[in-house]
Amino acid sequence: AQSVSQHNHHVILSEAASLELGCNYSYGGTVNLFWYVQYPGQHLQLLLKYFSGDPLVKGIKGFEAEFIKSKFSFNLRKPSVQWSDTAEYFCAVTINNNAGNMLTFGGGTRLMVKP
Amino acid sequence: DSGVTQTPKHLITATGQRVTLRCSPRSGDLSVYWYQQSLDQGLQFLIQYYNGEERAKGNILERFSAQQFPDLHSELNLSSLELGDSALYFCASSPHGGGRAPRTDTQYFGPGTRLTVL
């Protein structure tokens, strides 16, 4: 079965700092990769997704992620964070088989941006 | 707003009771997914329905069951509730999610139902 690891559980940054959140998955076949964000008290919102093609994908709110197949990684980046980016970030994968289309999530990374 | 609606927003009940959570998918989406978010287990997939039929099952307890109706809305039934069932329950929907789902199939999440078991 596939699994997803997010190594940073808590990250604290000052405004304007650069952000990189790690995500690694374990699965030998083809995966689809997602980053979701959950603002305090709210539901999960899709930040960006990767299915195929250019491994550098751009999402909403200035976020981007790079798929590195050889490293089984899909790290999330933002050049300059804002206080409003304070949230929990989840990396997730789906795999293409006949067993459904469920998302497997990482444990999440709580980001706090200090004003 | 993702277009996925869930009711109720909050639910407080006692151990041993039974509750029903409701989800309406985005217009045109055929698949509905249920996820549980708790502090100790994180976000866990429970079950998926596709066009009225069960498609995939995850870490769903036998005390829990779900169904998807002809109008594609779904209900998650939780019975014999225990303190440990307290969690946020999210519903998501996607256009496909069947056996040959396009690789671009993306899930959009509802606002969730916060269940508190006392």
Side-chain angles (χ1 to χ4, degrees):
Chain A
Q2 68 274 25
S3 65
V4 179
S5 298
Q6 292 180 245
H7 306 295
N8 312 103
H9 298 292
H10 292 90
V11 173
I12 302 174
L13 294 173
S14 298
E15 274 194 316
S18 65
L19 169 73
E20 180 159 3
L21 300 182
C23 171
N24 288 90
Y25 66 92
S26 67
Y27 182 71
T30 303
V31 295
N32 309 309
L33 296 150
F34 305 83
W35 276 97
Y36 285 88
V37 61
Q38 187 175 28
Y39 297 102
Q42 295 191 28
H43 63 287
L44 289 156
Q45 298 176 40
L46 182 68
L47 266 182
L48 48 77
K49 55 191 176 184
Y50 173 80
F51 296 106
S52 63
D54 188 345
L56 185 62
V57 292
K58 295 194 184 299
I60 60 171
K61 307 188 181 191
F63 286 92
E64 64 179 32
E66 185 176 13
F67 171 53
I68 303 179
K69 191 174 181 180
S70 60
K71 294 185 178 179
F72 298 88
S73 70
F74 189 56
N75 292 355
L76 181 71
R77 299 195 292 245
K78 185 170 184 179
S80 175
V81 295
Q82 301 171 315
W83 176 79
S84 58
D85 293 324
T86 295
E88 190 159 16
Y89 293 80
F90 293 93
C91 181
V93 304
T94 61
I95 61 175
N96 289 90
N97 60 18
N98 286 322
N101 195 39
M102 73 288 284
L103 284 160
T104 300
F105 285 92
T109 297
R110 283 187 188 272
L111 171 66
M112 180 185 293
V113 180
K114 298 185 294 184
Chain B
D1 184 2
S2 65
V4 180
T5 60
Q6 287 187 249
T7 56
K9 205 167 184 179
H10 301 277
L11 203 47
I12 301 174
T13 188
T15 54
Q17 295 298 303
R18 173 190 166 94
V19 296
T20 297
L21 282 52
R22 183 189 166 105
C23 168
S24 292
R26 296 185 321 157
S27 177
D29 284 359
L30 296 178
S31 268
V32 168
Y33 310 77
W34 287 97
Y35 293 87
Q36 180 194 59
Q37 185 179 32
S38 61
L39 281 173
D40 51 344
Q41 299 285 333
L43 267 162
Q44 300 248 325
F45 167 72
L46 295 178
I47 197 163
Q48 174 195 355
Y49 276 81
Y50 170 70
N51 205 19
E53 308 242 334
E54 184 183 301
R55 185 80 187 94
K57 231 172 181 177
N59 298 323
I60 187 165
L61 300 171
E62 283 191 19
R63 301 183 283 108
F64 296 0
S65 65
Q67 51 184 328
Q68 187 180 27
F69 295 87
D71 67 352
L72 301 177
H73 91 270
S74 176
E75 292 180 356
L76 179 68
N77 300 296
L78 315 176
S79 61
S80 303
L81 285 167
E82 301 174 0
L83 295 177
D85 297 327
S86 295
L88 257 174
Y89 291 85
F90 286 109
C91 166
S93 74
S94 72
H96 307 284
R100 294 182 181 179
R103 289 200 63 196
T104 55
D105 205 40
T106 300
Q107 294 177 39
Y108 294 90
F109 283 77
T113 294
R114 183 172 291 281
L115 173 67
T116 302
V117 182
L118 301 174

